[in-house]
Amino acid sequence: MGQAVVTLKKGEGRTLKAGGMWVYDNEIDSVTGSFENGDVVEVRDFDGYCMGMGFINTCSRITVRMLSRRKDTVIDGAFIRRRVRDAWEYRRETIDTSSCRVIFGEADFLPGMVVDKFSDVLVVESLALGIDRWKNVIVEALKEILAEDGVTVRGVYERSDAKVRLQEGMERRKGFIGEPFDTRVEIRENGVRYMVDVEDGQKTGFFLDQKNNRAAIQRLCKGKRVLDCFTHTGSFALNAGIAGAASVLGVDASRLAVEQAEENAALNGLQERVKFCCADVFELLPMLEARGERYDVVILDPPAFTKSRNSVKNAVKGYREINLRGIKLVRDGGYLATCSCSHFMDPELFARTIREAAAGAHKRLRQVEFRTQGPDHPILWAADQSYYLKFYIFQVVAEK
């Protein structure tokens, strides 16, 4: 069977030409040749110029996910293993690899594939049909490459249970790849110990993208009173505690998350100074304000309030509200750490929303620093779907 060819409409493919990784269904003029969804196809501009090679899936709005810009590229096991090796070598050079994201989809030129490493366990999330065919090759390549650096992989667990797989015409999947193993894994990050549940925790079990941001708040917390909102399994709260905070309150709406956070606090011997409560942050913050509570450091790490452009307006209201309430709870001269993990809440919109919240609270913000996701979640320029995390630290001061 010959390789099929996808031809773009005249004037389309601007993002692709700028370095992007996706071709949308409405950009395509024709598909010639035989193919099955998941096959590799050649992508050409309207005039026949070759744009590269990628996986096709007509079930998805993202019809082609690019793999290579070169026409003569052979997509085979050796190609995939080279991509995996490149991804690992990049991590070795840029971040502590004891626990990290090893493969980050399009940003590692393996579109739709995510692999997280928690100590000696790998967690795989496959989100696109084409890459799903290479899942086992990727896993075996990672095992071999990690073994070269003395890392023996104890087990591999698949968390391909995201709803986005349905948009690809794929079933959601969850379970062991290979032999079963204990899915509770202890990791250490920034001097903090965590018990990660790779089977039932959110996403792949733990949010690795905030590693450096959690470390950044440590220097602000010694001897301080800290409030950590949307604490999940307690990561920011425990970083505050390990840094010597006088007291920390972590808040999350999930009872399971709070129980895991309490377990993690005990694991670090911080249970006397780091406490957690199960509550709705939007309801709790006005109550704390009404009681006259004030904190030296307030941390806001909410889940993504929007996962599509259609719901951005409602998300803005949510971000504005929690930042307004959070700012009011910071004592004069204290600090606010606030972030958004929504790709659709772009940096300019997020900054404007925070500015509006500060004005509503009659406070002034002095930016300490701005950060994004850790380097194990690289941002591929021109493929902006890889850029999603925005993280600010501000000093909050009264209007003068």
Side-chain angles (χ1 to χ4, degrees):
M1 183 173 64
Q3 194 168 64
V5 174
V6 172
T7 301
L8 303 180
K9 296 175 182 176
K10 188 174 182 178
E12 295 291 352
R14 288 183 291 274
T15 302
L16 180 65
K17 293 168 187 175
M21 297 287 287
W22 292 349
V23 178
Y24 288 94
D25 54 0
N26 61 358
E27 297 180 296
I28 295 172
D29 180 61
S30 66
V31 182
T32 57
S34 300
F35 70 91
E36 293 180 0
N37 282 331
D39 283 352
V40 175
V41 297
E42 180 184 344
V43 178
R44 295 179 184 173
D45 204 357
F46 74 99
D47 58 1
Y49 179 81
C50 179
M51 306 293 293
M53 319 296 289
F55 293 129
I56 189 169
N57 185 359
T58 57
C59 295
S60 173
R61 273 203 65 222
I62 306 168
T63 304
V64 182
R65 297 174 186 260
M66 300 300 291
L67 283 162
S68 173
R69 295 289 178 167
R70 298 176 180 173
K71 180 179 181 179
D72 57 355
T73 301
V74 177
I75 310 300
D76 57 10
F79 171 89
I80 296 295
R81 284 191 290 272
R82 284 196 301 272
R83 287 280 198 258
V84 172
R85 184 175 293 277
D86 288 346
W88 175 245
E89 290 181 353
Y90 163 80
R91 269 77 185 175
R92 287 197 311 171
E93 294 173 349
T94 59
I95 201 164
D96 165 29
T97 58
S98 57
S99 292
C100 67
R101 177 151 293 181
V102 181
I103 295 175
F104 185 41
E106 281 75 357
D108 283 307
F109 309 104
L110 288 167
M113 176 59 64
V114 171
V115 181
D116 284 343
K117 174 183 177 291
F118 298 108
S119 186
D120 58 356
V121 166
L122 300 179
V123 182
V124 176
E125 185 179 31
S126 175
L127 302 175
L129 179 60
I131 204 69
D132 200 66
R133 293 182 175 183
W134 294 96
K135 177 176 59 187
N136 291 333
V137 173
I138 290 169
V139 167
E140 291 307 312
L142 269 176
K143 287 181 178 180
E144 293 169 10
I145 292 165
L146 291 173
E148 293 172 7
D149 283 340
V151 179
T152 300
V153 174
R154 176 167 61 89
V156 182
Y157 198 83
E158 182 170 10
R159 287 295 303 271
S160 301
D161 49 354
K163 290 182 180 179
V164 70
R165 276 177 66 99
L166 302 178
Q167 298 171 17
E168 289 275 315
M170 304 164 68
E171 294 181 352
R172 298 162 79 176
R173 184 179 297 154
K174 178 179 175 182
F176 296 100
I177 298 178
E179 293 297 315
F181 60 93
D182 184 355
T183 55
R184 283 168 53 82
V185 185
E186 184 177 326
I187 69 170
R188 185 182 292 268
E189 178 195 276
N190 302 334
V192 181
R193 298 165 66 192
Y194 302 93
M195 191 60 70
V196 176
D197 183 351
V198 302
E199 181 178 8
D200 294 320
Q202 285 191 35
K203 299 254 177 128
T204 61
F206 186 79
F207 297 108
L208 293 164
D209 51 3
Q210 294 269 31
K211 178 186 295 189
N212 292 351
N213 301 339
R214 290 189 279 260
I217 64 107
Q218 288 194 14
R219 66 178 177 272
L220 302 175
C221 293
K222 186 175 182 179
K224 302 296 178 61
R225 190 174 190 229
V226 179
L227 175 66
D228 176 25
C229 301
F230 310 98
T231 191
H232 189 224
T233 55
S235 56
F236 274 106
L238 294 171
N239 274 266
I242 211 80
S247 67
V248 184
L249 175 62
V251 184
D252 200 276
S254 166
R255 170 56 61 186
L256 175 61
V258 167
E259 290 173 355
Q260 291 174 327
E262 290 172 340
E263 180 184 7
N264 287 331
L267 192 63
N268 290 275
L270 295 172
Q271 62 271 30
E272 297 303 318
R273 289 187 291 115
V274 182
K275 304 291 186 181
F276 297 95
C277 74
C278 184
D280 184 318
V281 170
F282 285 92
E283 295 176 358
L284 180 65
L285 294 190
M287 293 169 56
L288 293 174
E289 180 188 349
R291 295 207 309 249
E293 301 282 2
R294 294 295 180 269
Y295 297 87
D296 300 297
V297 180
V298 172
I299 302 161
L300 303 174
D301 181 22
F305 288 161
T306 175
K307 295 185 179 181
S308 72
R309 297 192 188 281
N310 297 332
S311 56
V312 167
K313 286 186 178 180
N314 286 334
V316 167
K317 293 178 182 178
Y319 284 114
R320 186 187 297 120
E321 174 69 11
I322 61 163
N323 279 279
L324 171 68
R325 297 296 180 181
I327 289 168
K328 287 184 174 182
L329 289 171
V330 180
R331 68 164 180 80
D332 188 26
Y335 295 90
L336 172 76
T338 184
C339 65
S340 167
C341 62
S342 171
H343 162 69
F344 296 99
M345 192 74 178
D346 65 56
E348 294 76 16
L349 181 57
F350 186 49
R352 184 166 69 247
T353 302
I354 296 170
R355 190 179 302 116
E356 291 169 355
H362 304 292
K363 298 287 186 178
R364 304 186 74 177
L365 301 180
R366 298 208 299 180
Q367 182 177 321
V368 178
E369 58 182 308
F370 172 74
R371 293 171 165 268
T372 60
Q373 61 240 41
D376 54 338
H377 296 63
I379 298 168
L380 181 63
W381 281 37
D384 67 351
Q385 62 270 15
S386 63
Y387 179 21
Y388 64 95
L389 182 61
K390 286 76 61 179
F391 179 89
Y392 282 100
I393 298 177
F394 296 105
Q395 187 185 42
V396 179
V397 296
E399 292 187 330
K400 298 177 181 179

